[in-house]
Amino acid sequence: MKSFLSLLFAFLCAGKILAADFASNFSAANELYAKGDFAAAAAGYDKILQSGRVSPALLFNYGNAEFKSGNLGKAIAAFRQAELLAPRDSEIRANLGFVRNQVQGPLLQESRWRAALGQLTLNQWTFLAAIALWLTFLSLAAAQFRPALAPKLRSATVFLAVLAILFGAATGFQAVGHFSQQTAVVISDNATARSGPFDDAQNVFAVHDGAELPVLDQYGVWVQVADGPGRTGWLSIRQVELLSGA
Amino acid sequence: MMVLVARAASFTASLDRDSISLGETATLSLSFEGAQPKNVPTPGVPGLQIANSGTSQNVSFINGAMSSTVTVTYSVTPERTGKFVIPAMTADVNGQRITSQPIELTVLQAHAPPAAALNSGSEIAFMKLILPRRKVYSGETLAAELQIFLRDDVQNFGNFQMNSTPADGFVIGKSAEGARFRTQLGSRVYTVIPLSLALTVTRAGDLSLGPFTADIVVVLPSQNQGGDPFFAQFFNQGEQKQLTLATEQVSTHSLPLPDQNVPANFNGAIGDFTMTVTAGPTDVTVGDPVTVHVQIAGRGSLDSIKLPDQSGWNNFKIIPPTSKSDLSDALGLEGTKTFDEIVMPESASIHALPAFSFSFFNPDDGRYHTLTQPSEQLTVHAGGTAPMPTMIAAAKNSAPENQTPQDILPIKENLGTLAQISSPFVARPVFLAVQTAPVLAFLAALVWRKRTDSVANNPRLRRRRAVAHLVQIGIGDLRTFAAENNSELFFTTLFRLLQEQLGERLDCPASSITEAATEDLAARGAPESLLNDLRELFQLCNQARYAPVRDPAELNSAAAKFEKLIAELQALKI
């Protein structure tokens, strides 16, 4: 028991020390940013990200530093990831929109439905659907245990069931986007899409840093992307950053 | 009465015309008379595209004799001029092998009618191709005009289709129809339909355009309707006529762009342009973006204009510009092209945005021109020493999405809560498993409710359960009384339990149960062994009333027998 408590204490202390390290690294990167050393600031933020921990603020600042370093694609990728964590953060959306406007080529068009559903994260939609589902079935169960309550619960149960269906559909829509669709954000200055997943394949079209292209297929270190209707090509995975969702 | 007359089969091949112009299509007909052909030969002639266009059958009765003709038609489109021979073909008709005659087809070069015919007004319709200038430059984009003339007696026209548009040294771009007008040629008035074409010169040297050929269907007044001319003008439906139109070939000479006095930043823009340049914000920190807004307006190929590389911008990081074209004519040769270029000063020592220049070649005067925007003052603060541009703070406090920002919003000071990157809840099996809990709870409640309702609505079942419960308790009591050697209470309890159990089984009041109930049980098919045990227990109870003293072993034996009997009774299907 004593050894377990010691282990727990050591674990908690290590966690606190780690968190303090991240906070000091974050502050150091912020100072570099303020001094105009954007590349170093980006490296500082990236170091924290490499630990596998993220926060909307960290990704936001990383996106800013990459943008100031002239890396539009990396900035867009960072802002999009930040937006996934905090979809209603107006500052993230503003900076993402600003950087997208600097990108050469066609703009990414987001449908109204997707924009509306994007107001909540996939986890938030999932929780809403789960809560509505629980309440619906608990209400149904209560009506079985206390039949006298059934008439009073009927309206609430129908309402909760409708909510559960709506939230479930939203969750499903978001989940399909998250798991079955990918976007390639070009992070190379001038990337050339090829007709096949080979270095010596014919050039098909060029894309610019920051272009966001839906991924159609993946083969080894190549991803097939679409650039407008009917135009597809293969990009090396080194030239893009892959993000979940469309 | 119909008479079927056996006639000799025949096979003939014919063309609707023996001479056509390049671009026109002739019709080849293979007719089989007398019977269905077993095989239809497919003609093939190099230089002619021959495609099946349908099959028809004609059956006729004349004086009771029936005759049948099958006709297979092909469209014949020549690929070049010359004389072609469609060779003899053999078909198997009604068991006979019949060979057709070879047919000749002459394909002539399409040509415009002679000038005398045009000016006399004798042509129903014709086309003219007009180039604006005889002197053009390689790379230049200019507008040519194709004019379609329709004589005043053409009531209507349609199905206009260009057949060939040969252009040696030109690339034909967009086209647009202009405003129609009327003109008099000879004694006739023609309606002119102008069609503008954007042409880009692809090389220097002698170039040619045309002859363009096109098909058109016109509707002319019918010549065979007769009657009153007054009514004819209202009711004459006219007759359709397909015409093939051709222009003259137009030749010109293209000059290369001059080698002398080529501006350093000339990057191929040809036309006549003006330029406007604005930039902002002009008070920034190192690394902050400044948007340089370049607007180029004028005439020329605006789509192909690119911003030239600028010398003197070495201390700036330049993000490739975005562009937008606003074209004011249908051919895309006039309008405005706007570039937005983001530049970022990399040093606080910069005090001005360098001059911006754009060069083009004007084919009208044959000279290069350079437009220059003078340098503009720029204040650059060192990083970290100056506050962010004012619009940032304003944007942060007032709905940033509703404004047109000039820069990204500043970084966040607080790290916030760090979270481990993990898969969404919807993909975690444990989370999904937990979601089945309310469903299971509901199902359990549903089953409980069904059972409760079932018991409430079934008195026999309710009684069976109550008796089973009573017997369960009673067996315990019997064991206690046996251990205490309390014979009186033992047999009283035993008798009562027998009454309860038999009453439940026979669906009658317990108090009415006596040993006679065994007869009822026998009548309902109870096994004899069970009845014997039952009688024995009843007799024991009766004897106990008169000779109550018993030893515990005997009581325990009776209790065990009762237990066995109860189990059999409860299992008995009545």
Side-chain angles (χ1 to χ4, degrees):
Chain A
M1 186 65 182
K2 206 171 178 181
S3 61
F4 172 74
L5 287 175
S6 310
L7 201 66
L8 185 66
F9 181 71
F11 179 75
L12 291 174
C13 286
K16 280 204 165 188
I17 291 167
L18 209 59
D21 277 354
F22 289 142
S24 73
N25 287 345
F26 183 74
S27 298
N30 282 359
E31 282 175 26
L32 288 168
Y33 185 96
K35 287 175 185 167
D37 193 350
F38 303 118
Y45 297 127
D46 190 37
K47 191 178 165 189
I48 306 173
L49 290 170
Q50 292 302 322
S51 72
R53 288 164 192 274
V54 290
S55 76
L58 176 60
L59 287 164
F60 178 84
N61 287 9
Y62 177 59
N64 270 21
E66 288 292 7
F67 172 70
K68 293 279 188 178
S69 304
N71 302 321
L72 302 185
K74 286 184 177 176
I76 286 175
F79 287 136
R80 282 189 60 159
Q81 289 176 75
E83 194 184 33
L84 281 179
L85 297 176
R88 294 179 305 286
D89 188 319
S90 58
E91 294 183 17
I92 294 172
R93 293 170 85 98
N95 279 7
L96 177 59
F98 183 86
V99 180
R100 276 178 173 159
N101 282 337
Q102 316 305 319
V103 176
Q104 203 173 6
L107 283 176
L108 185 80
Q109 297 293 330
E110 194 177 35
S111 68
R112 283 186 182 178
W113 274 102
R114 194 170 287 283
L117 291 175
Q119 294 292 316
L120 295 179
T121 66
L122 175 57
N123 278 349
Q124 287 168 341
W125 280 118
T126 307
F127 269 117
L128 282 179
I131 290 167
L133 180 83
W134 274 76
L135 291 176
T136 303
F137 279 99
L138 291 179
S139 167
L140 286 169
Q144 295 300 323
F145 284 119
R146 300 269 179 194
L149 288 176
K152 292 176 186 170
L153 286 172
R154 187 169 295 128
S155 304
T157 307
V158 170
F159 177 69
L160 287 168
V162 170
L163 278 186
I165 291 167
L166 290 177
F167 292 152
T171 305
F173 190 80
Q174 286 280 74
V176 166
H178 183 86
F179 293 111
S180 66
Q181 295 172 344
Q182 271 193 315
T183 302
V185 183
V186 177
I187 56 172
S188 173
D189 265 349
N190 280 303
T192 305
R194 299 181 184 280
S195 60
F198 314 105
D199 282 323
D200 52 357
Q202 196 181 353
N203 293 351
V204 183
F205 56 88
V207 284
H208 298 279
D209 188 17
E212 294 166 85
L213 309 166
V215 174
L216 306 177
D217 199 0
Q218 194 160 354
Y219 180 83
V221 294
W222 295 85
V223 286
Q224 189 185 28
V225 296
D227 179 32
R231 204 162 70 144
T232 62
W234 291 85
L235 287 170
S236 166
I237 213 160
R238 293 188 302 275
Q239 296 173 313
V240 298
E241 192 156 325
L242 294 177
L243 302 176
S244 295
Chain B
M1 190 175 81
M2 186 175 75
V3 178
L4 292 176
V5 179
R7 298 179 62 177
S10 68
F11 166 35
T12 53
S14 61
L15 279 168
D16 64 335
R17 285 173 285 173
D18 54 8
S19 173
I20 59 173
S21 297
L22 189 64
E24 286 185 291
T25 297
T27 301
L28 170 66
S29 302
L30 307 184
S31 297
F32 304 91
E33 196 177 345
Q36 287 273 358
K38 276 194 174 174
N39 68 311
V40 178
T42 306
V45 179
L48 294 180
Q49 283 185 2
I50 301 178
N52 191 317
S53 56
T55 302
S56 62
Q57 186 167 14
N58 181 34
V59 179
S60 59
F61 295 92
I62 300 171
N63 296 330
M66 186 187 80
S67 64
S68 155
T69 306
V70 175
T71 305
V72 182
T73 53
Y74 295 87
S75 62
V76 181
T77 309
E79 295 170 338
R80 56 181 162 80
T81 56
K83 269 198 170 178
F84 299 89
V85 176
I86 298 172
M89 290 167 277
T90 303
D92 189 348
V93 187
N94 205 15
Q96 304 171 46
R97 291 186 62 76
I98 310 174
T99 303
S100 68
Q101 294 295 315
I103 321 169
E104 275 196 0
L105 176 66
T106 305
V107 180
L108 304 169
Q109 180 68 51
H111 56 81
L118 299 185
N119 293 328
S120 68
S122 62
E123 292 293 317
I124 298 169
F126 62 91
M127 295 197 302
K128 268 187 184 175
L129 185 59
I130 302 164
L131 268 182
R133 280 186 276 114
R134 292 287 166 186
K135 183 175 151 189
V136 296
Y137 286 91
S138 175
E140 178 185 358
T141 301
L142 64 156
E145 190 166 276
L146 179 70
Q147 294 181 337
I148 303 158
F149 288 73
L150 298 172
R151 208 168 60 188
D152 50 9
D153 56 346
V154 173
Q155 293 178 336
N156 201 354
F157 73 98
N159 291 352
F160 181 78
Q161 188 175 4
M162 297 296 295
N163 291 325
S164 65
T165 54
D168 179 23
F170 292 99
V171 170
I172 301 175
K174 294 178 183 173
S175 61
E177 188 180 326
R180 298 178 185 186
F181 59 93
R182 292 166 77 86
T183 186
Q184 180 154 7
L185 294 173
S187 58
R188 306 303 294 260
V189 175
Y190 283 81
T191 299
V192 184
I193 305 169
L195 196 67
S196 298
L197 303 169
L199 300 175
T200 302
V201 183
T202 57
R203 61 174 170 81
D206 290 328
L207 314 176
S208 66
L209 191 66
F212 285 4
T213 60
D215 283 338
I216 189 169
V217 176
V218 296
V219 180
L220 296 168
S222 174
Q223 302 299 316
N224 304 321
Q225 294 203 353
D228 191 326
F230 176 78
F231 290 105
Q233 64 181 322
F234 297 109
F235 302 109
N236 191 336
Q237 295 301 305
E239 58 187 37
Q240 290 192 346
K241 188 169 186 180
Q242 176 164 356
L243 301 174
T244 297
L245 313 180
T247 67
E248 293 283 2
Q249 186 182 58
V250 181
S251 299
T252 187
H253 187 76
S254 163
L255 300 171
L257 296 184
D259 292 336
Q260 281 87 34
N261 303 322
V262 183
N265 65 347
F266 174 70
N267 64 353
I270 301 175
D272 189 9
F273 303 106
T274 58
M275 180 179 73
T276 313
V277 180
T278 56
T282 53
D283 188 348
V284 293
T285 306
V286 170
D288 280 344
V290 177
T291 303
V292 180
H293 184 79
V294 183
Q295 192 179 62
I296 293 171
R299 180 173 48 78
S301 178
L302 286 159
D303 275 341
S304 62
I305 289 180
K306 293 175 184 167
L307 272 194
D309 292 334
Q310 300 295 318
S311 61
W313 291 72
N314 299 330
N315 293 326
F316 289 82
K317 181 171 181 61
I318 299 174
I319 291 175
T322 58
S323 64
K324 189 178 75 175
S325 295
D326 185 11
L327 304 173
S328 57
D329 72 330
L331 295 182
L333 298 181
E334 281 188 44
T336 306
K337 189 162 185 176
T338 308
F339 297 89
D340 280 325
E341 188 169 53
I342 304 288
V343 298
M344 301 171 180
E346 294 181 321
S347 161
S349 61
I350 296 171
H351 300 296
L353 284 167
F356 195 97
S357 60
F358 169 71
S359 297
F360 61 91
F361 177 78
N362 188 341
D364 292 339
D365 60 12
R367 289 166 51 197
Y368 291 100
H369 299 264
T370 298
L371 306 171
T372 302
Q373 174 78 13
S375 67
E376 191 176 341
Q377 190 179 350
L378 179 70
T379 306
V380 182
H381 304 280
T385 61
M388 287 291 179
T390 48
M391 71 284 279
I392 294 169
K396 189 173 181 178
N397 295 327
S398 59
E401 286 174 57
N402 298 331
Q403 300 181 8
T404 304
Q406 299 294 314
D407 190 13
I408 54 172
L409 301 174
I411 56 173
K412 294 176 188 280
E413 293 302 321
N414 296 317
L415 177 59
T417 308
L418 281 174
Q420 196 77 33
I421 298 171
S422 55
S423 59
F425 284 107
V426 75
R428 297 185 198 176
V430 174
F431 179 83
L432 294 176
V434 168
Q435 303 320 306
T436 60
V439 184
L440 294 175
F442 165 68
L443 291 176
L446 193 66
V447 170
W448 177 84
R449 168 53 50 198
K450 291 283 176 202
R451 292 188 62 167
T452 306
D453 289 350
S454 168
V455 171
N457 297 327
N458 190 342
R460 285 204 65 184
L461 178 64
R462 203 164 59 237
R463 185 177 180 191
R464 187 185 305 157
R465 289 188 176 172
V467 168
H469 183 67
L470 189 70
V471 166
Q472 194 68 31
I473 295 166
I475 288 171
D477 291 345
L478 288 177
R479 296 225 176 267
T480 307
F481 297 144
E484 292 170 356
N485 200 22
N486 189 341
S487 171
E488 189 181 344
L489 276 177
F490 179 90
F491 284 106
T492 305
T493 305
L494 180 62
F495 187 74
R496 188 171 55 82
L497 291 177
L498 281 172
Q499 279 184 312
E500 290 290 345
Q501 188 61 69
L502 284 171
E504 181 271 314
R505 298 277 58 199
L506 297 172
D507 196 21
C508 59
S511 56
S512 67
I513 296 295
T514 61
E515 190 178 347
T518 55
E519 304 309 319
D520 286 349
L521 270 180
R524 296 190 189 195
E528 196 57 37
S529 61
L530 172 73
L531 296 173
N532 290 337
D533 289 347
L534 199 54
R535 286 188 196 108
E536 190 181 340
L537 282 178
F538 271 114
Q539 283 165 15
L540 280 175
C541 292
N542 290 336
Q543 287 169 14
R545 289 180 195 163
Y546 311 108
V549 181
R550 301 272 179 174
D551 60 46
E554 199 176 349
L555 295 182
N556 277 327
S557 167
K561 194 172 278 181
F562 172 75
E563 246 183 286
K564 178 173 165 284
L565 180 75
I566 285 296
E568 285 178 24
L569 268 177
Q570 287 177 344
L572 190 64
K573 295 201 184 302
I574 296 175

